[in-house]
Amino acid sequence: MENPEVAMVFEEIADLLEILGENPFRVRAYRNAARTVRELPEPVEEIVRNPNRKLEDLPGIGKDLAEKIRIIVQTGDHPMRQELREKVPPGLRELLDVPGLGPKRAWALYEKLGVKSIEDLKKAAQEHRIQRLRGFGAKTERAILEALEHLEQVQRRVYLAEAKVFAESVVRHLREVPELHQIEVAGSYRRRKETVGDLDVLVTCDRSAPVMDRLAQYPALADVLARGDTKMSIRLKNGMQLDLRVVPDESYGAALQYFTGSQAHNIQIRRMAQEKGLKVNEYGVFRGDKRIAGKTEEEVYAAVGLPWIPPELREARGEIEWALQGRLPKLVELHDIRGDLHMHTTATDGRASIEEMILACKEMGYQYMAITDHSKRVTVAGGLDAKALRAHWAEIDRIAGRIPGITVLKGVEMDILEDGSMDLPDDVVAEADWVVASVHYGQNQPREQITRRILNAIKNPYVHCIGHPTGRLIGKRKPYEVDLDAVLKAAADYGCFLEVNAQPSRLDLDDVALLAARERGVLIAIGTDAHSIDELRFMEFGVYQARRGALEAKHIINTRPLKELLKLLRQRRSSRA
DNA sequence: GCCGTTTTCGGCCCGACTGTTTTCAGTCG
């Protein structure tokens, strides 16, 4: 039983309890439990099995939820879910996905009109049956119909890289307003989550009207959803929602802290403030009516007794404890990166030549780089066999030889074949400076099989690093069924590195896995997997993901100077020789 | 349902906006 499966049981229970009008705090307890389990850096099963561990030690898990976790792990489900399902029609849950519909209205629609699905909802709205209900009206009915039209778009989260395009363009657009003082895009974008659902734009200025008028002129705007004195919401043409908040300058830090979230992090901060007799809201930190902080984020954190916490860590995963103990990590930064260790050229499926890639990496200021074209199994990419690969390496040496100022490592992305063997003989890869091993075929193999394959690669002394270790494509393809815990354990034991693949659609290992890797002392390589010169720029997204995993420069091998890196690579091989 | 350097009961983050309301509930983040 995987952690996300356990979490999904609790998420469903929370939704169903909420629809039934249960105590909101009880609902929240289930939501918290779902989140705790989902983000656990190890299988919850492990804790259940280990007699020396207690589920009750996990935050937000008490006696009752611990017992429920045990039952779910052992039976794959919990009777409570089944009981709730009998009370709530199966389609009712999906109504919660409609913006503007929450548990109360969903239940009212079911009770009064028998609405049990999105289909029913649409029909009821079209037949104008909704506006006759108490608490609803003509406007609400129209809003529901409107929301249904955009439902698929609304549910879609975009890659961080795509969000960045709009975040930067809307900031440029709004900066034209002379009255505007400060502007920042907060929310999950500022926390650098791998996907972003909407953009939270925070602005300080004396009057909000000119900024809001200007936003109404934003070229990518589709329509205005709401507009008040301090808050305005619009929908963009790509389906994303954008929320603008306007606060006075003296509240900028408090508002930035608040709108950056995460919600769970903010709840912890506010609870700490309460214990000190303080109140935190988006306008400042207050003792009674007196504002004691709010101009900067540093002030806000200081008021509750904490150092400033980097946004990437604000997920209520222990960062507040770290801050209290003075153990906040000094997160890796983009300028710490000295080289890119994963890229392709026209020798296989890349679109730029060896020379173009070298010049581009030099332009980025790198001290070194590795060219890692595919091995022969990846036929669609024109993967190289032993002979072609040796010729390719000779070509790399020849071209690199006349470009001073950057060291080019001769590498390969070698396939881990379906049967667990490697796509190239040992004597060939022994000649490479840098070997990434990746799974591209047989991704749907059962857990034991695909785990064994990757463990084989980790144990192979010529393999330095496992590329995109779970193979997921965000929102498109699930990760392999691989036992990630076993992979981390083996990587630590054998001194094999694991990749953060910086492609915006991969970003794999993800943040949760990276926290676990950090715990186990596994070193990470960030590679862009660039198939063109432009994609070398993806390095920043890999760095963001590493930061979300609380990684420091020392955890990442391509922050090391060349000499140290080469020493690490030698160690990896000699340790197995 | 969880949690406790005042507590084992009574709290649980906080405010904006909308629509349907004559004073507030629902939703959202």
Side-chain angles (χ1 to χ4, degrees):
Chain A
M1 195 82 186
E2 300 284 343
N3 291 346
E5 298 175 274
V6 179
M8 277 168 63
V9 177
F10 285 144
E11 276 154 13
E12 182 173 343
I13 288 175
D15 279 353
L16 298 178
L17 286 174
E18 197 171 30
I19 291 171
L20 290 169
E22 258 288 349
N23 175 357
F25 298 105
R26 188 175 175 221
V27 172
R28 192 157 88 190
Y30 281 97
R31 293 242 153 85
N32 287 340
R35 210 184 70 96
T36 298
V37 173
R38 186 179 284 281
E39 298 185 347
L40 212 56
E42 63 183 323
V44 71
E45 242 181 63
E46 197 100 318
I47 305 178
V48 171
R49 267 202 305 267
N50 188 335
N52 298 322
R53 306 280 302 278
K54 282 177 70 186
L55 288 165
E56 285 88 340
D57 291 338
L58 298 173
I61 305 295
K63 227 176 137 206
D64 182 274
L65 285 169
E67 184 54 26
K68 288 200 168 86
I69 291 174
R70 280 182 215 112
I71 290 171
I72 294 169
V73 165
Q74 279 155 17
T75 69
D77 199 355
H78 195 279
M80 182 178 178
R81 169 154 80 164
Q82 296 308 325
E83 286 160 25
L84 288 169
R85 278 182 177 178
E86 280 165 30
K87 293 187 194 163
V88 182
L92 219 48
R93 248 186 113 200
E94 69 187 27
L95 296 189
L96 302 181
D97 294 334
V98 180
L101 279 193
K104 293 285 193 299
R105 285 175 169 170
W107 185 250
L109 287 166
Y110 165 62
E111 270 207 318
K112 304 271 171 51
L113 298 177
V115 168
K116 285 187 244 179
S117 65
I118 297 281
E119 275 309 297
D120 292 350
L121 178 68
K122 193 167 186 176
K123 197 148 166 279
Q126 282 166 342
E127 293 168 358
H128 302 302
R129 284 183 283 139
I130 292 177
Q131 57 174 290
R132 293 201 295 271
L133 291 182
R134 181 174 184 78
F136 294 78
K139 272 197 154 171
T140 304
E141 189 176 81
R142 254 201 317 281
I144 288 172
L145 273 174
E146 172 84 358
L148 285 175
E149 293 202 3
H150 298 283
L151 191 55
E152 277 172 35
Q153 274 190 326
V154 164
Q155 286 172 319
R156 179 173 153 252
R157 294 178 67 89
V158 304
Y159 298 144
L160 180 60
E162 181 179 339
K164 187 179 181 219
V165 172
F166 288 96
E168 290 182 344
S169 98
V170 80
V171 166
R172 271 197 310 274
H173 180 78
L174 293 179
R175 271 196 200 286
E176 298 289 313
V177 178
E179 288 93 336
L180 182 138
H181 300 161
Q182 302 178 85
I183 181 166
E184 184 90 53
V185 181
S188 53
Y189 175 76
R190 184 161 178 250
R191 300 201 310 281
R192 309 301 188 212
K193 275 194 76 163
E194 57 203 26
T195 61
V196 175
D198 50 29
L199 292 174
D200 297 294
V201 183
L202 175 67
V203 154
T204 66
C205 61
D206 300 327
R207 294 192 315 121
S208 64
V211 184
M212 290 187 177
D213 291 344
R214 177 76 182 161
L215 184 61
Q217 303 299 317
Y218 183 48
L221 176 142
D223 49 335
V224 176
L225 302 172
R227 178 171 171 170
D229 289 337
T230 68
K231 183 179 168 184
M232 175 169 171
S233 293
I234 64 169
R235 182 167 45 230
L236 303 184
K237 286 174 185 161
N238 76 342
M240 284 186 98
Q241 186 171 323
L242 184 151
D243 297 323
L244 174 75
R245 289 295 300 253
V246 184
V247 299
D249 274 311
E250 61 267 27
S251 297
Y252 181 67
L256 186 56
Q257 195 283 326
Y258 173 56
F259 293 114
T260 298
S262 65
Q263 198 179 19
H265 173 89
N266 285 356
I267 287 173
Q268 289 194 359
I269 295 291
R270 289 172 179 211
R271 199 173 289 148
M272 286 180 68
Q274 276 186 330
E275 284 164 13
K276 293 181 189 295
L278 303 173
K279 187 176 75 169
V280 178
N281 60 28
E282 56 263 58
Y283 298 108
V285 181
F286 296 86
R287 173 169 283 122
D289 290 336
K290 188 175 178 339
R291 188 208 323 262
I292 62 165
K295 204 167 166 51
T296 67
E297 274 194 329
E298 284 81 355
E299 259 183 40
V300 173
Y301 280 102
V304 295
L306 293 173
W308 183 82
I309 299 173
E312 291 93 331
L313 295 180
R314 299 183 195 172
E315 298 289 349
R317 292 174 184 154
E319 73 278 6
I320 291 176
E321 288 73 15
W322 285 345
L324 281 169
Q325 297 157 1
R327 294 198 299 126
L328 275 177
K330 188 181 180 310
L331 299 181
V332 61
E333 303 196 31
L334 183 56
H335 66 72
D336 291 327
I337 301 293
R338 295 177 192 249
D340 192 337
L341 295 174
H342 190 161
M343 70 187 71
H344 299 268
T345 71
T346 49
T348 57
D349 59 350
R351 292 187 291 282
S353 67
I354 295 171
E355 180 171 11
E356 288 167 326
M357 292 304 268
I358 297 176
L359 290 173
C361 282
K362 193 179 162 184
E363 182 75 15
M364 295 194 62
Y366 289 149
Q367 186 186 5
Y368 52 83
M369 60 189 284
I371 293 178
T372 51
D373 274 301
H374 289 288
S375 61
K376 66 177 188 295
R377 177 67 178 86
V378 190
T379 44
V380 286
L384 309 173
D385 61 15
K387 190 170 167 230
L389 188 59
R390 283 178 164 136
H392 178 49
W393 285 337
E395 182 73 356
I396 291 173
D397 269 346
R398 191 179 66 75
I399 295 168
R402 50 181 173 75
I403 304 176
I406 186 164
T407 298
V408 183
L409 302 179
K410 298 188 294 289
V412 62
E413 182 178 15
M414 172 170 65
D415 254 59
I416 304 170
L417 302 179
E418 288 95 320
D419 66 359
S421 65
M422 301 297 126
D423 197 19
L424 290 163
D426 285 354
D427 66 307
V428 177
V429 281
E431 295 167 22
D433 301 317
W434 170 249
V435 179
V436 179
S438 306
V439 167
H440 291 109
Y441 295 90
Q443 299 191 15
N444 293 323
Q445 286 177 348
R447 186 178 176 85
E448 294 70 28
Q449 203 177 352
I450 196 151
T451 301
R452 201 161 48 234
R453 281 168 75 187
I454 294 176
L455 293 186
N456 276 349
I458 289 173
K459 292 172 188 167
N460 183 308
Y462 301 105
V463 170
H464 293 111
C465 180
I466 305 298
H468 43 75
T470 77
R472 60 105 179 240
L473 289 178
I474 299 169
K476 293 198 175 76
R477 189 171 73 204
K478 287 198 164 327
Y480 323 136
E481 293 281 347
V482 59
D483 179 349
L484 202 53
D485 202 49
V487 167
L488 291 172
K489 224 176 279 180
D493 289 346
Y494 287 85
C496 185
F497 313 123
L498 299 181
E499 181 179 70
V500 170
N501 189 296
Q503 292 277 322
S505 59
R506 290 189 180 270
L507 294 174
D508 159 31
L509 298 176
D510 69 10
D511 49 354
V512 174
L514 288 172
L515 286 165
R518 184 183 195 269
E519 288 286 297
R520 291 205 182 270
V522 175
L523 293 179
I524 299 296
I526 305 178
T528 61
D529 202 353
H531 286 68
S532 68
I533 287 169
D534 286 342
E535 288 184 1
L536 291 168
R537 301 272 161 206
F538 288 160
M539 184 59 78
E540 78 173 295
F541 301 106
V543 170
Y544 294 145
Q545 189 74 306
R547 289 170 62 87
R548 287 182 56 81
L551 299 188
E552 307 186 17
K554 68 179 180 195
H555 298 115
I556 299 182
I557 63 169
N558 46 323
T559 62
R560 313 274 173 107
L562 179 65
K563 259 193 177 166
E564 281 182 38
L565 176 75
L566 294 176
K567 195 171 145 201
L568 263 182
L569 301 190
R570 275 198 304 275
Q571 276 170 5
R572 156 75 180 153
R573 282 198 176 159
S574 64
S575 68
R576 312 302 317 153

